[in-house]
Amino acid sequence: SSGINAEWPLRPGTFLSKLPTTRVYFRLFAFIVMIKIAALCAILAFAAAADNITYTCIAGAPNATKDVTVDCSVFANATEYFCHNPDATVANNTVGYGCGACPSGKDVDAGNCLDCNATAGDNCNTYAAPIFAFSCNNLTAKATINCTEGPVIGCFGPTKGFNGVLDAKLKAGGCGTCAGADFPNATICTDCGYENCNSGAAALVSFLAPLLALLFWLQ
């Protein structure tokens, strides 16, 4: 007779009796589908990457000593793309150089970063030497003095161990270099390259200067 047989699911060789085999087929089918989806995603990713626009920017720390370029990338439908760099007129600026517009967040103070439109050409974020605000010791007054901002940190003072007569200016020490202060003789004058380095520990200046200059930028 026509219609649904109430005993059909229970008969040997039908759905319920073949359930374990059905599970195997289902898992195989699911595996094949996953492979196809993964392959499709890879194809789409490759196609997207192939359509991306590539350009270059200067990259690195704000006190880099030479230009280093890196490859940057944006989606093909982008109408503008950027590089960013520190504002070199801001003393002790810690913003670096890199791809994209200026980063945002608590580590980037407003106004310390500049960006440029790289659509017209690569490496628009041209490197500029940073400037530093720093202080040095006045050994006579036993006080620190604020130095003029500039591209180089420098303090000078009398060479430790020299027992001769010292000029009052040299005895006090201050901002700049020995040569700049008209004391080019290393026997009587020592200069150094980090903040407040012309202290009574002048004997350690030449050894610690490179290390402390690095730590200044990592703080």
Side-chain angles (χ1 to χ4, degrees):
S1 62
S2 60
I4 299 176
N5 189 338
E7 297 180 354
W8 170 75
L10 304 177
R11 292 203 306 269
T14 56
F15 177 75
L16 290 180
S17 65
K18 294 183 177 181
L19 188 56
T21 302
T22 303
R23 287 178 177 172
V24 172
Y25 287 141
F26 177 77
R27 290 176 179 174
L28 180 60
F29 174 76
F31 177 75
I32 294 173
V33 171
M34 290 174 62
I35 292 296
K36 289 183 177 180
I37 292 174
L40 178 61
C41 290
I43 292 172
L44 292 176
F46 178 79
D51 290 338
N52 282 355
I53 297 172
T54 58
Y55 64 104
T56 61
C57 292
I58 304 298
N63 61 333
T65 56
K66 63 179 181 179
D67 290 351
V68 176
T69 60
V70 293
D71 292 331
C72 310
S73 177
V74 294
F75 291 117
N77 60 354
T79 57
E80 292 182 319
Y81 35 97
F82 300 88
C83 303
H84 67 269
N85 56 273
D87 184 348
T89 65
V90 177
N92 303 342
N93 198 342
T94 58
V95 174
Y97 294 78
C99 301
C102 285
S104 59
K106 64 179 181 178
D107 295 328
V108 180
D109 295 331
N112 286 7
C113 181
L114 303 173
D115 52 31
C116 56
N117 195 324
T119 310
D122 292 335
N123 304 331
C124 64
N125 58 338
T126 307
Y127 176 78
I131 60 173
F132 307 98
F134 63 99
S135 61
C136 294
N137 291 297
N138 181 310
L139 302 175
T140 302
K142 294 183 173 20
T144 58
I145 51 177
N146 292 324
C147 304
T148 303
E149 295 179 358
V152 177
I153 299 174
C155 303
F156 74 92
T159 299
K160 186 175 182 179
F162 179 73
N163 296 319
V165 178
L166 292 175
D167 180 273
K169 180 180 178 181
L170 175 56
K171 187 175 181 180
C175 305
T177 63
C178 290
D182 296 325
F183 301 110
N185 188 344
T187 303
I188 63 172
C189 184
T190 300
D191 49 31
C192 49
Y194 59 93
E195 190 169 38
N196 297 326
C197 57
N198 63 331
S199 66
L204 296 176
V205 164
S206 61
F207 175 74
L208 292 177
L211 176 61
L212 293 178
L214 175 62
L215 293 176
F216 176 85
W217 280 105
L218 294 178
Q219 65 181 354

